Amino acid sequence: MHEAVSQGHDPMNSAGAERYPFGAVSLGFLAVTALSGVALAPLYRPEAALESVEAIQGGLAWAWMLRGVHAYSAVGFLLATGVHLVDVVWKGGQLRMPAAVWWRSILLLPLALAGMLTGFLLRGDAEASAALQVARGVMGTIPFLGSEIATFLMGPAGAGLGPVAVHHAGTFTLLPWLLAIEHGRRAWPDRRSWVIALLASVAVAGVVPVSLGQVEGTGAGLLGPWYLLGLQGLLLDLPVPAAWLIPAMALAGLGLLAHAQGRTRKALLGGLLLAVLAWAAWTVRLLAAEA
Amino acid sequence: MTRQFRLPIVLVTAACFGLAVAWFREDLREAGTGEGPDRAGGHTERCLTCHIRPDESPGGAHRAEAVGCEPCHLGNPLAFDRQRAHAGMERDPGALDTVQRTCGRAGCHPREAARVATSLMATGRGLIAVDRWVFGETIAPDGQDTFADLLASRTPSPADDHLRRLCAGCHLRTRGNNRDDDVSGIGSGCGACHSTRKEPLSIRPHPPVEARVPDQQCRGCHGRSGRISLSYQGLAEIRESQAPPEGTLRLPDGRPVVQLKPDVHGEKKMACIDCHLHSDLMGDGVSYPHQEQQVTITCETCHGPVDEAGEMPFASFPDPISRDMLRLRGLARLPLDPARGGRTRILAWNLQPTGLLPPAERLRPEATGMTAPWTLTGKLDGRPHPVRQTPVDANHRLSGHQRLSCQACHSAWAPRCTTCHTRYDATGRQWDFGTGKVEEGRWIEEAQTYEFGEPTLAIRDQRVVPAIPGMIVTGDATAAGGGRFSRRLYAALDPHTTRKESRTCASCHLSSQALGLGAGILNLASDEPVFVPDHPGPDDPATASDGWVGLFPTEAAPGTRLNLRSLDATEQLRVLRVGPCLGCHPKSIDPIYLDFQGSVVKLGSPGTRCPFTPPPWVKNIFQTP
């Protein structure tokens, strides 16, 4: 038990890395994402978002590849984090770490999503503009502080993408990294993890370049980012507050796993599985409707 | 190979493959970037990096270097590669289904685009309503439905199908590639008027886009039906069988025409838009049921006499569009400068008092040698046209003629098609402008001859106006699910054959055509006026097959509007009673016309100097005026 708790507290030591390989790789992806983002930042102009992304995509040598590495490493971070979470829950790791650490650790998932969503919004194309409006609308339905949170994260309506860019590069990069440091007990990934993350990102970015949508007003059937299509589909059937209420409940359920045993734990896991299936179903339904 | 090394090798290989593909893509990216300028009119416009040929620009105010491509053609002006740049592109700017994002976008012409959508050129309300009425599908020639409804209908009625096959090609909601004959090759929506034809033999030409719409744009649509744009040039369409052996003139679409007297305004090289105001053409935001309600310009606007609302200080005209046009052309007007406008207070901005013009532009018409009080400036060529005012003389103050419109006398001729037959061939195939493809069934319009002559007189809203056979038609829509119908309807029309010289007195007072009787012999010398038609109608031998109404009918014949009718018996009689006098008193300045009724009474009294012995019916009429 002592050994297990020790590994749970220090998962990034060699034994922890062996036990939870995806946790180490997710930090590797985070590092690649952050560094490629730093390289892209001078090329991006929030006041002319789409134009600058178009220039990155088509006007500068190899910049599209850099953007691809940035985007795919972020996807890798999200996927690795998700798989790591399932791995931990599957192996009961949440029971072997302090509850407070667990609760903070599961915040990595929404923070990764927020970082990716803000990155999506920074494209400034038709889909991003629509997603910005949806995000603002959803946040506005959070009681008491909804509109304030929306203004804090996205600035006032019509303010452009400056605030989003700040939160993308700052808030949603630093916070995950800080939580990862607390969670993994190290600030930098091991060499194996970041090399894997870099090579995987390069391989995918070269073969499947990151797409970019059209300017506003030129297309119909706008879709949000792939990882939030379930949320977009959910909005077709349920009232808007469900778009934050259901994820919040799922997150709370995930947190409560550290405290639940027996039937309660099974019920929580069943609920979470149901939420994931519903998410997938709404995604499929939305894509079918668009097709 | 141990498991320890397997993953790194796979990853390195994948990364190398990714880099190789990326290298290839990078070469493509570099090669696909154009070399022209990437800005136009103060915004990024990368279309111009590739589209650098001079003939790819429309020139003028819409030239590519000033506007770029995306404001009209949509697409993505920020993109570097062709595929992305052309995604979502509108190849036919001005088409009404996308006009709000092209011509009508904020900062360009939103006001005009909104108006065009409600104008008759877009809605075609009158055309639809009258056609349905003629087919017997409705009880009145008025309706709310527009071409948008008609073309979207999945189960069109026979009348709707007729319009979709034969008429909808001129409608502004049909796209340029969904047209036929003379209307093809021009743009859609706004572009139908403002985008002129492409120059032939150019590789990738961009047609000019102009506010100054040349007459050829109007001719495509208005060279049909009433054919006013042909008549304006003095061209009358004929059938091939009517063509003289030595040959005939032909329109660009091949139709044979003969040359007659053109409209005096056409003779002076005036363009259609010199007279027609923006609201006549693009509408004023109101969806009118019929054309005569949308057209606001009148002869009196220029030639007078105008009423109080027709001539006002410039500042009193609530017409921002005309003000903008003056501003864009650098023309200044002072608020209190006299100005004239159409019926709905739309400014005739190219008409101004001659005294306000520079001395060099104050032309004197040769006929009078005096400076005309008003001058109209040609919108296409800037040429000044002195505008004489309607004289207050015997011709224009003739007793009994107060109700006559200018066109009733000054229209020299008009097309008169009286042998139209429409039938539906269920076994044929024909283009359907609603579906945009060839569909089963075919409407066939046949006519033995196309004729022309002096127009008939009709009554519209208590005014005497020219009219032509609008619907002398027999139709058979049984194969299309409708019925057989036969209509004898005349339509009011401004023929656009205006001449300074008016038609003669005899052409009305001794003419069976003017009275709506049709072609035939009008015998006024017998005991009673007798009309013998050249071609007796099938139902009534006393009525001509090309006539609108019989002689002295019990009630006037209806026209293609509820407010339009033929002359009734009393009006026919009042017209005819002058006829016997015209042999000796052919001019309007003759003293007998100062008080015609008094002259009539004198004629019947002893001691008259007139040797004329009128037939009994004239005496009877004179005794019971």
Side-chain angles (χ1 to χ4, degrees), chain A residues 88-213:
Chain A
V88 167
V89 171
W90 184 259
K91 292 173 180 170
Q94 78 278 10
L95 300 173
R96 291 193 290 272
M97 69 172 70
V101 175
W102 168 248
W103 275 96
R104 282 195 293 274
S105 296
I106 61 167
L107 286 179
L108 272 168
L109 194 62
L111 284 172
L113 280 171
M116 291 186 67
L117 175 62
T118 49
F120 181 84
L121 297 180
L122 290 183
R123 288 167 28 171
D125 57 15
E127 289 178 336
S129 297
L132 184 65
Q133 290 180 30
V134 172
R136 197 183 291 280
V138 169
M139 284 186 193
T141 61
I142 298 174
F144 309 117
L145 291 174
S147 57
E148 282 74 16
I149 294 173
T151 304
F152 171 71
L153 292 177
M154 292 174 279
L161 290 170
V164 179
V166 168
H167 286 296
H168 178 71
T171 312
F172 298 124
T173 303
L174 288 177
L175 273 181
W177 206 313
L178 288 173
L179 289 175
I181 289 171
E182 184 199 31
H183 179 80
R185 304 280 176 142
R186 59 189 304 165
W188 188 251
D190 63 304
R191 188 175 60 192
R192 180 170 173 268
S193 298
W194 72 257
V195 168
I196 287 174
L198 179 63
L199 290 177
S201 302
V202 166
V204 181
V207 177
V208 189
V210 182
S211 66
L212 186 57

Side-chain angles (χ1 to χ4, degrees), chain B residues 278-336:
Chain B
H278 61 79
S279 59
D280 292 0
L281 309 169
M282 297 189 290
D284 59 5
V286 177
S287 176
Y288 291 104
H290 294 290
Q291 165 267 327
E292 63 272 15
Q293 287 148 327
Q294 181 172 313
V295 173
T296 181
I297 192 73
T298 63
C299 305
E300 290 90 341
T301 300
C302 292
H303 295 285
V306 293
D307 57 21
E308 285 183 7
E311 183 173 332
M312 298 187 295
F314 172 72
S316 300
F317 281 93
D319 181 6
I321 292 182
S322 292
R323 289 170 193 276
D324 284 351
M325 284 194 275
L326 282 167
R327 182 174 51 77
L328 289 169
R329 296 196 182 209
L331 301 173
R333 296 282 181 86
L334 295 175
L336 295 180

